[in-house]
Amino acid sequence: MSALTSEQLKQYKEQGYVSPIDILSSEEVKKIIEEIEYIEKKWPDELIGLGRNNVHYISPVFDQIVHNSKILNVVEDLIGEDVLAAGTTLFIKDPDNKSFVSWHQDAKYIGFEPHNWVTAWLAITDANEENGCMRMWPGTHKEKVREHKDTFNKNNLLTRGQTVQNVPMEKTVPNILKAGQLSLHHPLIVHGSGPNKTKKRRIGFVIQSYIGSNVDQVIGKVYVQQARGKDPFKYHDHAIRPVKTMNKSDLVFRNRANEELSKIFYKDSNKLGKY
Ligand SMILES: O=C(O)CCC(=O)C(=O)O
């Protein structure tokens, strides 16, 4: 039996995303915010810039999200039973901040082929129109990869500021989530998000992405964790799971994984961004 309802499966198939899906309790969310604040206080440089990536390799709290069975039950419905976790990103928008995410498709620079993968966006705080929730352009996942313009805009939270131009706002919809809720989106859906105009942080923890065992990395190298099932294709090296926050050897590994990720995102670019 599938974890997603037939309505939810239909939403994903027709619109290219499905949300909201209840995952975490407020107590669980509180623990995650405490972990972020603990790391930021003790190691202020570790969650910024390139460090926003792959925090699940250095924090058991984030590792447990990646391996959360409620998340994996719904992911399995979309990509099958052999699920690998191939990376994570913390998207934090501080209060009254100009940071935004331009319209883009995840498939553009990420290098995962074929597209048997899904991006899981978990709200750690509420995400709404005031604080810059994602906006989706439903149905665009049915088309191919579009041309993106690399803008390198300093307030853009995407690596190259890659942008799909001329998106009709009236065709896009806000992806409003309560803290603890999840949204799953297709590699090809066009989406983005605006600035946080409120006095509180907006935090999303994104598993980018859950991939089927049959998905290769065609641009560079990626490490994975077995999230569910088996890995019959064996395309990638497997990473170990952290048992303690900021263990030295985990940090060395996380930094190596982030360097490899950076090579993927900036392949053939003569410029590097902040992330
Ligand atoms: O967190 C955001 O505002 C956007 C994140 C995003 O584009 C993604 O997860 O694919």
Side-chain angles (χ1 to χ4, degrees):
M1 204 180 82
S2 70
L4 289 170
T5 64
S6 53
E7 268 309 300
Q8 287 174 316
L9 287 166
K10 191 166 163 230
Q11 187 196 357
Y12 189 80
K13 195 163 170 238
E14 287 178 4
Q15 301 186 14
Y17 76 105
V18 54
S19 85
I21 303 165
D22 291 332
I23 301 292
L24 300 180
S25 67
S26 49
E27 271 310 301
E28 288 169 314
V29 165
K30 193 163 159 258
K31 241 181 92 185
I32 297 163
I33 293 179
E34 281 167 6
E35 177 77 344
I36 293 173
E37 290 173 353
Y38 170 69
I39 297 175
E40 285 181 325
K41 189 149 184 234
K42 210 153 173 211
W43 300 278
D45 294 333
E46 290 307 331
L47 299 184
I48 56 175
L50 197 54
R52 73 180 184 174
N53 298 307
N54 291 321
V55 62
H56 68 298
Y57 288 147
I58 53 167
S59 157
V61 173
F62 283 94
D63 170 79
Q64 278 156 29
I65 304 175
V66 170
H67 295 269
N68 179 299
S69 60
K70 282 194 206 164
I71 298 181
L72 292 170
N73 289 346
V74 288
V75 165
E76 180 175 341
D77 286 346
L78 301 179
I79 66 169
E81 62 189 4
D82 294 326
V83 179
L84 305 171
T88 63
T89 303
L90 250 182
F91 279 103
I92 298 181
K93 288 181 183 166
D94 280 320
D96 284 326
N97 197 284
K98 293 198 173 73
S99 299
F100 70 100
V101 171
S102 53
W103 299 109
H104 68 285
Q105 294 165 301
D106 292 348
K108 177 66 182 169
Y109 291 116
I110 213 167
F112 290 135
E113 301 282 347
H115 291 164
N116 182 35
W117 51 273
V118 64
T119 301
W121 200 103
L122 181 69
I124 308 301
T125 61
D126 290 354
N128 48 48
E129 291 192 83
E130 294 71 43
N131 70 6
C133 66
M134 282 193 292
R135 285 191 80 87
M136 322 305 278
W137 184 2
T140 46
H141 67 297
K142 293 181 181 163
E143 294 158 32
K144 50 187 190 325
V145 178
R146 293 171 186 241
E147 198 180 313
H148 288 58
K149 183 170 186 233
D150 292 350
T151 65
F152 289 94
N153 183 304
K154 74 173 169 35
N155 292 318
N156 198 326
L157 292 176
L158 294 185
T159 47
R160 305 167 176 233
Q162 60 268 33
T163 306
V164 172
Q165 294 180 294
N166 304 318
V167 169
M169 263 308 266
E170 72 282 3
K171 291 198 174 153
T172 67
V173 290
N175 194 346
I176 297 168
L177 299 169
K178 290 264 169 230
Q181 290 183 323
L182 184 78
S183 167
L184 296 171
H185 63 260
H186 187 279
L188 288 170
I189 189 171
V190 175
H191 62 288
S193 69
N196 178 4
K197 298 180 188 147
T198 71
K199 303 278 173 219
K200 287 192 192 154
R201 274 184 145 181
R202 190 227 69 170
I203 307 175
F205 177 62
V206 190
I207 297 96
Q208 217 168 31
S209 294
Y210 285 113
I211 66 175
S213 167
N214 64 326
V215 175
D216 203 357
Q217 171 48 261
V218 298
I219 298 178
K221 178 172 180 57
V222 73
Y223 298 93
V224 298
Q225 287 175 341
Q226 191 77 51
R228 184 157 281 187
K230 297 196 172 67
D231 183 13
F233 285 81
K234 296 186 174 52
Y235 286 143
H236 316 285
D237 287 346
H238 283 239
I240 54 165
R241 297 178 57 183
V243 287
K244 188 171 155 263
T245 300
M246 289 291 283
N247 195 336
K248 225 175 189 158
S249 57
D250 292 335
L251 189 58
V252 169
F253 172 74
R254 194 280 295 252
N255 292 345
R256 188 161 77 233
N258 283 354
E259 290 303 327
E260 295 295 346
L261 185 64
S262 181
K263 285 187 215 161
I264 293 168
F265 279 132
Y266 294 107
K267 176 112 187 350
D268 298 329
S269 168
N270 50 18
K271 213 168 150 181
L272 292 187
K274 278 190 284 188
Y275 304 105

